Amino acid sequence: MSKEDTKNSLIKFKKIANYASRPEAEMMAAILKKHGIPVLIQSESSGMFGSSAAPSPGGVSLLVPEKNIEEAVKILPYKE
């Protein structure tokens, strides 16, 4: 494992928002990425044919590193 892999494996991500569909979550993730904030998208279902525009039963969550939570919450136009 490289030093970079070790560094990334120690980052703790926390949920900051939940959206009804994956495309909506992807748009918000793109906004955060433009500001240099790493983002993970998490969903209970990805669908048989990949991501879907249909609402996800449990929603689609955005997670960011703990150190970026405050900045990310200020940047996002809306949450939940």
Side-chain angles (χ1 to χ4, degrees), residues 19-26 45-47 49-57 60:
Y19 299 96
S21 68
R22 185 156 187 111
E24 185 179 21
E26 293 280 357
S45 63
S46 62
F49 300 103
S51 62
S52 169
S56 185
V60 182

Side-chain angles (χ1 to χ4, degrees), residues 8-56:
N8 288 335
S9 68
L10 299 176
I11 297 172
K12 292 185 180 182
F13 282 76
K14 296 286 184 173
K15 177 181 168 183
I16 60 160
N18 196 59
Y19 299 96
S21 68
R22 185 156 187 111
E24 185 179 21
E26 293 280 357
M27 286 189 302
M28 298 304 124
I31 291 169
L32 293 176
K33 288 176 183 177
K34 280 185 178 182
H35 285 85
I37 299 174
V39 181
L40 293 177
I41 297 175
Q42 196 172 56
S43 174
E44 290 180 14
S45 63
S46 62
M48 191 167 140
F49 300 103
S51 62
S52 169
S56 185

